[in-house]
Amino acid sequence: MLRVLAQSLTLLAAMCGFAPAEERAAAPDADGYRAQVEPLLAQYCLDCHSGEEPAGELALNEVLTRGAVSHDRQTWDTMARRLRDREMPPEDGEPLPAEQRETLLAWIDGQLANDDCGGVRDPGRVTIRRLNRNEYDNTIRDLLGVDFHPANDFPADDVGYGFDNIGDVLTMPPILLEKYLIAAQDVADRALGTSLTNLVSSDNVGGGQDAGNGFRVLPSQGDVTAKVRSRGGKHYILRVQAYGDQAGDEPVKMRLAVDGQAVREFDVRAVADAPQRYEAWVDIPKKGQATVAVSFLNDYYRPDLPAPHDRNLYVGHLELMGPYPDSYKQIIPREHTPEDRVLVAREIVNRTMSRAYRRPSTTAEVDRVLRLVESVHQDGGSFAEGIGLGLQAMLASPHFLFRVELDPSPDDPDGIRELDDFEVATRLSYFLWSSMPDKELFELARQGALRKDDNLAGQVRRMLADEKSQALVENFAGQWLQLRNLSTVAPDRNTYGHFDEALRGAMRQETETFFANILREDRSVLEFLDADYTFLNERLATHYGIADVKGQEFQRVTLDPARRGGVLGQASVLTVTSNPTRTSPVKRGKWVLDNLLGTPPADPPPDVPPLEEAMLAGTLRERMEQHRENAVCASCHKVMDPLGFGLENYDGVGAWRDKDGEFAIDASGELPNGQKFSGPQELKQVLLARQDDFLRCLAEKMLTYGLGRGVEYSDRCTVRDVAAATAANEYRFSSLILAVVQSDAFQKRSAPRVAADASATGKEATDDK
């Protein structure tokens, strides 16, 4: 019994200790603590948390000795919440009279109120973190214009604090490094088409004279022609190897044409000892044969003048390469000549690297990659192949794979550094889009203007309106509401024979569309608790028993508030919080506490017995009550179960029911504070009455996701400010996002300190314990 109490009361117990008289005498009396509070703590907490074997192995005299909230704020804050919800003292402990409970709460609340959240705040620090799988795919898409999913082959990302973008748990196993190297090559090949393009060499060359060295010479104005065949697509590269006999006051001039249409002219300065490759871009939208012509434009012959007196063009290997993907021109935006090849390569590497690293690249970084590009040229490779190797190096760089923020310098006051605009732009884009900043964000960062005037608020609104904010729906809502779990649940076929993959997909799409509507229309976040509408297609509407919805397209539907409204009436949430053969009031109640109220229960001890249905009789409620006759179980379930029972009108896959088999549904519940309700409609009103708790919970979840780290007690003022700003602006979704983005926690970084335990929280219940 003591072990269970210790797990459920750990934070409360931390302030209920005992201290010797001489120690208590030395402690200060904080506004009547010694006279009013300490006797109550000793009377109602001492039995469990003192002696040689205190509950949870916690000897708590230190907190009692200090007697000041400022030293143990988190402990006192948790104690106040549990006292207020009447979770404490436990049922088998000495009852705490209402007057004494109010005395304790008044004192604690008064002490906590002394913290005005003024002065310098610790913004916290985010562990250097790699891109998770979603972020990697999205960044590749936006960086290079290649929309495929190389990260599908990566190991699954670890989850901490309920999300998979937490720096503390995004480790780098050796297998992932190997996958990164493979993906970098694959991405570069796909983006530039270097391994996917068709090389169409010409074996049918005419014109000119055979020079005997693999080249054909044009001694006077004329053409070398070839028949080539395009294979569809549009973007091709016509490549020819050439050199000239140089004479006169200008270099050899050459023109490339396709089907009589001039493509590009070149000054051919190359000579016999060093032929050059010349490339021209050409669009050939249709399949079929095409005629390529290489023309000599400026014949020169002056035997009367000193040598050299004869200008000629030599044409060697001729090929049409392609078709190339559209992403080719996004990476290599212009053609080059042999003379400006290195300059063009530098421009490409500098621009691509700055975008890939999400900050201006340095000369040294560019030079290192350019050496790789040049090595390909020296080995006879094409320009695109050289750029591709440089691209692989960038994609394998820690500066691409990780979001790097420098720590404050010793000169930064209070050990806090304000992030630069590139860092803020990066935080913002991965928060709202799970991807890199776009051109507009980069330009504002380059100008140092992202946080000037109303630019930051304007960018938040622009980004939320952009279709890429669907990433916030899929990645934040998908984890906050646990929609991702829907893909793995397996309702029993015998119990729910109508459940199929079409219904599973419709369940998830309803909740994602509902969340996206609140986001895009900037509606009140309280609609997550209760809304008079949802989005359904015919399959899901039939499942809900709602008529007049036809077709596969989702449409907005007005709801009966007595039946549904908000996420708690949506089949996605109701299904992931059920067992395969029946509902689970435990899972549903825990889900509400975790995800809507931010008051998760303690994890059950490992030896708590499961609900043995075969040994218990009656309705599910009756079986659960028999189960809770075990005192070990009762302390954990008195908060969770009533919330879950309020949802019993929904079966294990979210369909409405009035009976569970032969038994009538009893959807009533009573919370530890004495508040009673019956059915989902009254439960929603209970939750709306606790909208401050909901706002705090949502602010914590959004801050955790936006920062990529767990919210600590030092963030309590930021959480409070985010919730208050949201409430002050009609609870609009954009106000929630903007309050997070404008916080010091989002825009600043503190110096290293001793790290707190960063283990993941929010384990899901796997059985009814």
Side-chain angles (χ1 to χ4, degrees):
M1 179 61 185
L2 289 178
R3 182 170 63 252
V4 176
L5 287 175
Q7 291 197 352
S8 63
L9 306 177
T10 297
L11 292 176
L12 171 62
M15 50 67 58
C16 294
F18 172 76
E22 59 273 18
E23 294 182 9
R24 296 199 303 273
D29 189 356
D31 297 329
Y33 169 77
R34 299 301 170 198
Q36 301 179 40
V37 178
E38 184 181 28
L40 295 177
L41 300 180
Q43 178 179 353
Y44 293 101
C45 302
L46 184 59
D47 286 346
C48 291
H49 302 287
S50 64
E52 294 182 359
E53 296 183 358
E57 299 182 355
L58 293 176
L60 305 171
N61 56 305
E62 290 186 7
V63 173
L64 187 59
T65 299
R66 284 192 289 268
V69 169
S70 59
H71 294 296
D72 304 281
R73 301 195 64 85
Q74 187 169 10
T75 298
W76 291 90
D77 188 41
T78 302
M79 185 198 75
R81 175 172 55 80
R82 292 187 174 177
L83 283 171
R84 188 171 289 109
D85 292 341
R86 289 176 170 76
E87 298 177 33
M88 298 297 152
E91 291 182 355
D92 60 348
E94 182 180 354
L96 177 63
E99 183 178 352
Q100 280 84 346
R101 186 185 299 273
E102 291 305 316
T103 296
L104 284 173
L105 283 172
W107 185 86
I108 297 171
D109 290 343
Q111 294 295 313
L112 290 174
N114 289 336
D115 183 1
D116 60 3
C117 291
V120 177
R121 293 188 187 179
D122 178 8
R125 50 187 289 104
V126 180
T127 302
I128 180 175
R129 59 189 176 108
R130 64 170 174 83
L131 304 181
N132 66 22
R133 295 198 301 175
N134 287 315
E135 292 168 341
Y136 184 96
D137 281 345
N138 292 343
T139 303
I140 290 295
R141 177 200 66 202
D142 294 338
L143 175 67
L144 303 175
V146 181
D147 193 6
F148 77 114
H149 302 281
N152 284 350
D153 198 35
F154 295 175
D157 295 311
D158 290 325
V159 174
Y161 302 97
F163 297 101
D164 64 1
N165 66 342
I166 304 300
D168 288 330
V169 301
L170 286 172
T171 56
M172 177 69 85
I175 185 64
L176 182 56
L177 180 58
E178 180 181 340
K179 296 292 186 182
Y180 279 145
L181 297 176
I182 295 172
Q185 181 175 355
D186 192 13
V187 168
D189 287 345
R190 287 174 179 264
L192 293 171
T194 49
S195 66
L196 304 176
T197 54
N198 300 306
L199 277 69
V200 187
S201 298
S202 174
D203 296 322
N204 182 21
V205 179
Q209 303 172 13
D210 188 354
N213 60 353
F215 286 79
R216 302 188 72 82
V217 60
L218 291 170
S220 61
Q221 292 183 342
D223 303 324
V224 171
T225 62
K227 299 293 185 182
V228 295
R229 182 171 295 277
S230 69
R231 291 173 169 81
K234 187 177 181 182
H235 180 51
Y236 288 80
I237 293 179
L238 182 60
R239 178 187 294 173
V240 60
Q241 192 174 31
Y243 68 92
D245 291 330
Q246 306 295 338
D249 57 359
E250 62 180 9
V252 174
K253 292 186 180 295
M254 174 180 70
R255 180 175 61 209
L256 303 183
V258 177
D259 288 337
Q261 297 295 317
V263 175
R264 192 178 182 190
E265 294 184 4
F266 295 91
D267 288 343
V268 179
R269 301 180 186 276
V271 295
D273 292 340
Q276 295 278 7
R277 292 185 298 272
Y278 297 84
E279 295 181 358
W281 293 0
V282 57
D283 288 344
I284 308 179
K286 295 182 179 180
K287 293 182 180 180
Q289 185 172 275
T291 300
V292 176
V294 183
S295 304
F296 178 31
L297 301 180
N298 60 338
D299 183 29
Y300 175 89
Y301 181 68
R302 293 294 303 271
D304 55 316
L305 296 178
H309 51 71
D310 191 6
R311 182 189 299 149
N312 303 299
L313 173 64
Y314 293 79
V315 179
H317 188 66
L318 178 65
E319 60 189 7
L320 183 69
M321 302 178 64
Y324 286 93
D326 293 340
S327 53
Y328 184 100
K329 287 185 178 181
Q330 180 172 322
I331 301 167
I332 304 176
R334 69 182 181 94
E335 299 169 289
H336 69 279
T337 65
E339 292 75 27
D340 68 358
R341 173 182 55 79
V342 175
L343 176 62
V344 173
R346 178 175 289 277
E347 291 174 356
I348 293 169
V349 170
N350 183 49
R351 182 187 64 255
T352 305
M353 182 180 288
S354 295
R355 297 179 66 236
Y357 294 176
R358 283 112 25 202
R359 57 160 174 79
S361 59
T362 68
T363 300
E365 289 171 332
V366 172
D367 287 344
R368 283 196 294 271
V369 171
L370 277 177
R371 286 195 288 271
L372 292 175
V373 175
E374 186 63 17
S375 70
V376 174
H377 175 75
Q378 296 299 329
D379 290 340
S382 69
F383 184 77
E385 290 169 339
I387 295 298
L389 183 60
L391 190 58
Q392 291 179 49
M394 288 182 250
L395 297 182
S397 168
H399 296 287
F400 171 75
L401 296 173
F402 289 85
R403 292 167 54 186
V404 181
E405 297 172 353
L406 298 179
D407 283 331
S409 71
D411 297 331
D412 287 318
D414 301 307
I416 295 173
R417 179 178 75 86
E418 185 175 86
L419 301 179
D420 65 37
D421 275 13
F422 287 100
E423 292 167 322
V424 173
T426 296
R427 284 196 176 192
L428 182 59
S429 64
Y430 282 97
F431 176 24
L432 301 184
W433 288 346
S434 295
S435 185
M436 60 180 287
D438 66 354
K439 182 178 180 180
E440 188 167 333
L441 280 173
F442 270 130
E443 183 59 23
L444 284 172
R446 187 190 65 79
Q447 297 172 4
L450 180 58
R451 286 172 286 188
K452 291 182 179 178
D453 302 323
D454 194 39
N455 287 341
L456 187 60
Q459 289 301 305
V460 167
R461 297 186 184 96
R462 176 182 74 87
M463 295 173 73
L464 289 176
D466 192 282
E467 63 181 11
K468 287 193 287 188
S469 65
Q470 183 66 21
L472 188 63
V473 177
E474 296 174 358
N475 299 327
F476 173 74
Q479 295 178 89
W480 169 43
L481 302 176
Q482 299 179 4
L483 302 181
R484 290 184 178 180
N485 296 348
L486 192 60
S487 63
T488 59
V489 298
D492 180 68
R493 291 179 179 271
N494 293 325
T495 307
Y496 307 108
H498 62 289
F499 182 88
D500 56 20
E501 292 305 309
L503 183 57
R504 186 197 304 269
M507 288 176 177
R508 178 162 183 165
Q509 189 167 346
E510 175 197 13
T511 305
E512 288 184 344
T513 306
F514 178 74
F515 186 100
N517 182 72
I518 292 176
L519 182 158
R520 302 251 160 73
E521 293 190 359
D522 201 14
R523 301 180 68 87
S524 168
V525 297
L526 296 182
E527 290 185 2
F528 289 124
L529 297 180
D530 189 22
D532 62 358
Y533 69 94
T534 190
F535 296 85
L536 305 175
N537 66 357
E538 184 175 358
R539 179 72 178 86
L540 190 55
T542 300
H543 181 65
Y544 285 172
I546 296 176
D548 301 326
V549 177
K550 304 298 181 182
Q552 295 304 308
E553 296 298 320
F554 276 73
Q555 53 192 278
R556 182 171 173 140
V557 176
T558 300
L559 297 172
D560 177 356
R563 290 287 183 98
R564 299 189 188 271
V567 295
L568 282 179
Q570 295 179 3
S572 58
V573 170
L574 295 163
T575 301
V576 299
T577 54
S578 294
N579 289 330
T581 60
R582 61 169 176 82
T583 60
S584 173
V586 176
K587 289 182 179 179
R588 288 179 174 178
K590 183 178 184 298
W591 191 95
V592 172
L593 293 174
D594 279 346
N595 300 294
L596 299 184
L597 299 178
T599 56
D603 292 332
D607 57 349
V608 171
L611 175 60
E612 298 290 350
E613 298 184 59
M615 299 174 60
L616 303 176
T619 66
L620 178 59
R621 177 185 287 270
E622 290 169 343
R623 298 198 303 270
M624 293 293 295
E625 288 174 350
Q626 294 175 59
H627 182 64
R628 287 197 302 275
E629 287 179 1
N630 184 338
V632 174
C633 304
S635 61
C636 299
H637 286 267
K638 66 178 182 179
V639 179
M640 291 187 293
D641 292 6
L643 298 171
F645 281 127
L647 300 171
E648 272 296 281
N649 282 115
Y650 304 113
D651 70 12
V653 290
W656 184 268
R657 62 181 183 172
D658 295 308
K659 286 187 175 184
D660 180 8
E662 62 185 62
F663 302 105
I665 293 294
D666 179 1
S668 63
E670 181 177 355
L671 299 176
N673 62 6
Q675 190 172 17
K676 297 180 180 180
F677 58 90
S678 181
Q681 185 174 23
E682 291 185 11
L683 175 58
K684 288 185 294 184
Q685 297 309 308
V686 169
L687 297 178
L688 285 170
R690 296 183 61 178
Q691 65 185 35
D692 289 345
D693 289 334
F694 171 69
L695 278 179
R696 174 185 54 78
C697 175
L698 184 56
E700 287 183 357
K701 299 287 186 182
M702 195 65 78
L703 196 63
T704 298
Y705 179 81
L707 296 178
R709 66 168 174 84
V711 172
E712 303 172 356
Y713 190 69
S714 58
D715 297 307
R716 67 194 181 282
C717 293
T718 298
V719 171
R720 189 185 72 180
D721 290 349
V722 170
T726 306
N729 288 277
E730 300 178 314
Y731 304 96
R732 294 191 181 278
F733 189 90
S734 65
S735 298
L736 170 68
I737 299 297
L738 191 57
V740 170
V741 170
Q742 290 177 330
S743 69
D744 283 353
F746 195 88
Q747 297 193 22
K748 296 179 180 180
R749 180 181 181 85
S750 62
R753 62 181 186 275
V754 178
D757 179 14
S759 60
T761 62
K763 296 180 181 178
E764 297 177 13
T766 56
D767 51 23
D768 289 313
K769 292 186 175 182

